Structure formats: C-alpha cells, structure tokens
C-alpha cells in the first residue's frame, strides 16, 4: 500500500511540474521533449522504488532482530525459572498419651501425656536433581531421618544416594499402627542407612538394588531413628559394655536386593508378591566383632476394595568371629536394646479403610497387626506383639488409637532376649502434618 501511494504521488508531482501540461494548452511541445520528460519521470519512479525496497529491508531486519531478542529473553527466563529451587517444606508435630498396665504410678495418674516429635521435611528438585530430607526433634534427642539426592534417568529408572530406606520387606511399612511391627526393633522394618541405590520399574515389576555403606550414624551412637547394630555381648548384665566399645560391632558394606510384582487379578483385587535379601559385613574396630550377616524375606501385599493385607516371613543371622557372642546390641531412640543373633519371624497385618464425611474427618482405618519372632539362638523365649487399633484422618490431623499387647517386646515392658510376662499398653498418638 505504501509503495502504491509513493508511486502515485511521484507521478502526480512529475506531471504537475513538467511541460507536458503546457503541451495540452499550447499544442506546440515537441515529441522529443515529451520523451525526455517521460524518461525522467520513469527514472524518478525507479529511484523511489529503490528507496522503498531499502526501507522494507530495514524494517524486516528490525523485526527479525526484535524477534531474536524476544526469543533470547524467553529462553533466559525459562532457564532462570528452571534454576529456581522447587522445594516443598513440610513437617509435623506429634504428642502421645500412654497408659501401661505395668506402670502402676502412671495408671494412678490416669496415664501420661508427652511431647513426641517435631519434624521438618524438604522435598522437591533443582535442575532435575531430586532432593528429600527430614530432621526430627524429640525431647531427648535430635536426629536425621533421611537425606538423599536422586535422578530419574528414564520414567522407569531412578538412582539415589545418601541416607534412604533400605529396600527390604513390605514397603514402605510392614504395619499400620504407630508402634510398627516387631521387625522394626531389630532393624528389619523402616530402616535407614547411608549408601547408593536404584529403583527399576519395568511394566508391573519393581526391582530395588542398593549398596549401604554403613548406618546413618556410623554404628557409634544410640541416638538414631533406625534400629542399628552397635555391638554384641555375652549376657544381659554386661550389655552396657557395648556403649564403652568393649565389644563393639557395626554393619558395613551391605548389599540389599528386592523384587516385587504388581499383579492385578481383577478390578477389585491386586496382589504384590515379592522377595528381599540383605547380606553384609560386621566390623568391630575394638573387639572381635567382625563377621558377616544376612536377612531374607518373602512377602505379599493384597488389596481388595477397602481391605489391605500384609504377610511376611523373615529369617536372619549374625555370624560373629567371637564364639562367645550370644546376642546383638541395638541403638535407637537414645536407648540400648538387645536382639537375638539369629531368629525367624512372621508378620500378619489386616486393615480396612472406611471413607466418612464427619466434619473434618475424612477416613477411619481399622487394623490388627501381629508379629512373632521365634526360633531364636540360645533358646531365648519368643517375642510377640499384637496391635489392635484405629487411625483417624481429619484434615492435617492423623491420630492413632492403639491397644498393644506384647511379650519380650521393647517399649511394651520387655526385652527380646528376656523371659518376661505379657504387658498391655494403650497409646494415642496425635499428629498434625503440614
């Protein structure tokens, strides 16, 4: 449009100022002069066309430069956005109310209400590198729960390094209640160590492989979330010697492997059979606490509508070079506890989840979790624990109501290398998660 306007103006100007108009009035202009005027007019038009093309080229260059600059700005903004830490911060605060039948003073007080835990969680990723960490504060200790970085090579393959859950048995928990199963207290449920690992999920399979260098505290501290080996001993009276390093030992260089298949039987039933294996070394820096150990498990998780069933058989043994060893010492929750050198265990847990709409209450989960540790070395008596309870979910609140009955069970008035009576504990744990 601009080109046509310039051309019309140029012709008008040329015609208006040339002698051609005079020829129309007088009729005596020569043909030669007319041709010269027309030639000059043609040249002016061509010059104007040239200027127009140059102007158009300059405009095109400006538009291209602006487009390139806008693209560069967009890429820079995208890169800056990707570089921003995408980390979610969460946590929880929890309290316990407890009444135990073997605590007469506590029963006279009507039970005890105590602070349980305050924790902070950090989860997210920075430049495709995944981060997950959790620190916990108790009245008597502050400890790391987990802290790892990971990377997803594909949708099916992920690797992680740091302090993470050892892939063994029913995951993430072989229980539904606040007290876990008896396997937790011998380091075979919800246990966290320091190492590297991978998770591979082709189709309906899940494979986990991890090399755990050592536990999260290096085997030298009783203040830990996980139940970790800190030593061994000959009889219960000398168990405290392990703290002084007289007969110390810790697990190192553990290889853990786990496989599970997700079998959808129908629209309502899903079965997840699996197997797990751990094998590692025992290292005693100041004693004869060297050797090796293993643990193996076969497990099954079944989901049918609102029902959840967990079954597991476990076998383990610690083989120390010291022939006088009778039991292992575990450190966790700022205490020293004992466990057998070898044993077998069965866990059987059943839960039913009922959705409700009672104000903020959205679901009720009813459960019964049973644990039995038997066939211990040195003819130690069996350990059992049965937990019947209900978990209530209401907004950010998650509350456990548990009746725990156990024999030779830590935190239920017993020891795994003892021969005590059965005890019952009623416990309410109220947690606000954010």
């Amino acid at each position: 449009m601009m080109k046509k306007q310039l051309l019309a103006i140029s012709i008008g100007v040329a015609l208006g100022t040339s002698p051609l108009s005079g020829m129309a009035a007088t009729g005596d202009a020569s043909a030669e002069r007319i041709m010269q005027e027309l030639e000059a007019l043609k040249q002016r038009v061509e010059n104007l066309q040239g200027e127009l093309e140059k102007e158009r080229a300059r405009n095109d260059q400006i538009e291209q430069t602006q487009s390139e600059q806008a693209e560069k700005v967009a890429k820079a903004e995208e890169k800056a956005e990707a570089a921003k830490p995408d980390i979610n911060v969460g946590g929880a605060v929890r309290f316990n109310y407890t009444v135990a039948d073997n605590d007469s003073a506590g029963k006279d007080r009507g039970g005890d209400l105590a602070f349980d835990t305050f924790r902070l969680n950090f989860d997210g990723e920075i430049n495709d590198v995944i981060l997950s960490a959790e620190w916990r504060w108790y009245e008597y200790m502050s400890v790391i729960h987990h802290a790892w970085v990971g990377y997803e090579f594909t949708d099916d393959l992920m690797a992680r390094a740091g302090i993470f859950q050892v892939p063994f048995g029913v995951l993430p928990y072989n229980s539904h209640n606040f007290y876990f199963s008896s396997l937790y207290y011998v380091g075979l449920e919800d246990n966290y160590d320091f190492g590297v690992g991978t998770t591979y999920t082709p189709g309906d399979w899940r494979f986990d492989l991890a090399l755990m260098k050592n536990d999260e505290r290096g085997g030298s501290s009783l203040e830990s979330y996980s139940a970790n080996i800190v030593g061994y001993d000959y009889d219960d009276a000398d168990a405290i010697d392990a703290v002084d390093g007289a007969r110390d030992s810790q697990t190192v260089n553990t290889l853990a492997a786990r496989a599970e298949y997700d079998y959808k039987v129908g629209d309502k039933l899903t079965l997840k059979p699996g197997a797990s294996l751990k094998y590692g070394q025992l290292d005693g820096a100041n004693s004869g606490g060297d050797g090796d150990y293993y643990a193996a498990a076969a497990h099954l998780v079944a989901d049918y509508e609102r029902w959840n069933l967990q079954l597991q058989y476990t076998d383990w043994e610690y083989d120390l070079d010291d022939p006088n060893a009778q039991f292992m010492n575990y450190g966790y929750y700022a205490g020293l506890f004992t466990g057998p050198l070898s044993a077998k265990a069965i866990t059987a847990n059943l839960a039913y989840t009922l959705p409700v709409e009672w104000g903020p209450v959205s679901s009720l989960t009813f459960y019964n979790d049973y644990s039995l540790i038997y066939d211990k070395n040195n003819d130690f008596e069996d350990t059992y624990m049965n937990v019947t309870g209900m978990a209530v979910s209401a907004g950010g609140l998650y509350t456990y109501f548990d009746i725990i009955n156990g024999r030779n069970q830590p935190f239920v008035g017993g020891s795994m290398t003892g021969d005590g009576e059965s005890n019952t504990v009623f416990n309410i744990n109220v947690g606000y998660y954010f």
Side-chain angles (χ1 to χ4, degrees):
M1 180 63 69
M2 181 178 181
K3 179 178 177 181
K4 290 181 179 179
Q5 290 174 342
L6 288 174
L7 181 58
I9 294 170
S10 301
I11 294 173
V13 171
L15 291 175
T17 58
S18 70
L20 186 61
S21 59
M23 181 190 71
T26 62
D28 55 359
S30 66
E32 183 177 353
R33 186 180 183 90
I34 293 173
M35 293 302 296
Q36 290 177 350
E37 292 293 336
L38 289 174
E39 189 65 28
L41 178 60
K42 179 180 179 183
Q43 185 62 42
R44 293 177 66 182
V45 171
E46 290 178 354
N47 291 339
L48 288 171
Q49 286 179 333
E51 291 297 326
L52 180 63
E53 292 297 331
K54 290 180 181 180
E55 185 66 24
R56 178 181 293 171
R58 283 194 294 269
N59 290 336
D60 290 344
Q61 182 63 37
I62 291 173
E63 291 179 0
Q64 182 178 357
T65 301
Q66 291 176 340
S67 177
E68 291 176 351
Q69 289 177 345
E71 185 177 354
K72 288 180 180 179
V73 170
K75 287 183 178 180
E77 291 177 348
E78 183 179 351
K79 185 176 181 180
E81 186 67 25
K84 288 182 181 179
D86 185 17
I87 303 298
N88 298 316
V89 180
V93 58
R94 303 192 308 208
F95 299 88
N96 267 332
Y97 170 75
T98 306
V99 181
D101 66 353
N102 63 336
D103 182 4
S104 57
K107 288 193 295 183
D108 291 341
R109 293 190 298 269
D112 294 303
L113 182 63
F115 169 75
D116 176 41
T117 315
F118 174 74
R119 78 185 201 198
L120 282 178
N121 298 78
F122 302 90
D123 296 280
E125 61 180 62
I126 303 174
N127 288 338
D128 297 328
V129 177
I130 303 168
L131 167 70
S132 182
E134 181 179 311
W135 190 269
R136 295 190 174 194
W137 289 266
Y138 300 84
E139 283 189 313
Y140 44 88
M141 67 175 188
S142 63
V143 295
I144 190 74
H145 179 268
H146 70 270
W148 57 266
V149 294
Y151 185 78
E152 290 184 347
F153 295 95
T154 67
D155 292 340
D156 300 331
L157 180 62
M158 175 183 175
R160 58 173 61 88
I163 300 171
F164 57 91
Q165 188 181 46
V166 180
F168 186 87
V170 174
L171 295 180
Y173 308 109
N174 186 14
S175 54
H176 303 96
N177 68 89
F178 180 71
Y179 272 57
F180 297 110
S181 75
S182 295
L183 290 176
Y184 171 85
Y185 304 87
V186 289
L188 294 175
E189 180 187 354
D190 199 32
N191 189 265
Y192 291 79
D193 287 341
F194 221 134
V196 295
T198 61
T199 299
Y200 181 46
T201 55
D204 295 326
W205 285 94
R206 170 175 171 170
F207 298 99
D208 291 277
L209 184 64
L211 176 62
M212 315 309 296
K213 191 69 183 88
N214 47 255
D215 65 62
E216 70 275 25
R217 299 299 298 269
S220 60
S221 176
L222 304 182
E223 295 186 355
S224 65
Y225 168 80
S226 298
N228 300 318
I229 295 294
V230 295
Y232 68 99
D233 224 314
Y234 305 146
D235 59 69
D236 286 328
D238 293 335
I240 196 66
D241 292 345
V243 181
D244 302 325
R247 288 184 282 273
D248 66 312
S249 190
Q250 64 171 313
T251 59
V252 297
N253 303 327
T254 299
L255 184 66
R258 181 180 183 275
E260 182 180 71
Y261 182 71
D262 190 344
Y263 177 47
K264 292 178 175 54
V265 181
D267 294 337
K268 298 180 179 180
L269 177 62
T270 300
L271 301 177
K272 293 182 179 179
S276 302
L277 178 66
K278 289 204 307 181
Y279 178 81
Q281 297 174 317
L282 295 168
D283 176 60
N286 303 310
S287 70
D290 296 322
D292 55 20
Y293 78 101
Y294 81 88
H299 37 87
L300 172 68
V301 176
D303 290 293
Y304 181 77
E305 294 186 332
R306 299 173 183 170
W307 292 91
N308 174 258
L309 174 67
Q310 301 171 338
L311 301 173
Q312 182 170 316
Y313 168 79
T314 312
D315 182 283
W316 72 94
E317 181 177 3
Y318 293 90
D319 186 11
L320 291 153
D321 292 343
D322 188 339
N324 296 314
Q326 293 187 17
F327 60 86
M328 304 303 297
N329 288 320
Y330 293 84
Y332 54 95
Y333 282 93
L336 183 68
F337 304 87
T338 62
L341 292 178
S342 63
K344 297 178 176 60
I346 294 175
T347 56
N349 313 315
L350 182 64
Y352 179 82
T353 299
L354 177 65
V356 297
E357 294 182 2
W358 299 344
V361 180
S362 58
S363 72
L364 306 174
T365 301
F366 306 92
Y367 49 79
N368 191 89
D369 297 342
Y370 178 76
S371 308
L372 174 66
I373 298 178
Y374 65 101
D375 196 19
K376 303 176 184 176
N377 69 289
N378 206 40
D379 294 327
F380 290 125
E381 293 295 323
D382 295 349
T383 290
Y384 80 83
M385 180 170 64
N386 190 85
V387 184
T388 302
M390 176 182 67
V392 180
S393 179
L397 285 174
Y398 197 82
T399 306
Y400 295 93
F401 297 86
D402 291 329
I403 300 174
I404 308 103
N405 178 261
R407 181 171 181 266
N408 302 323
Q409 168 66 48
F411 291 93
V412 194
S415 166
M416 287 202 179
T417 55
D419 184 12
E421 298 179 352
S422 64
N423 295 291
T424 300
V425 176
F426 174 66
N427 188 81
I428 302 175
N429 181 269
V430 181
Y432 184 83
Y433 297 81
F434 56 91

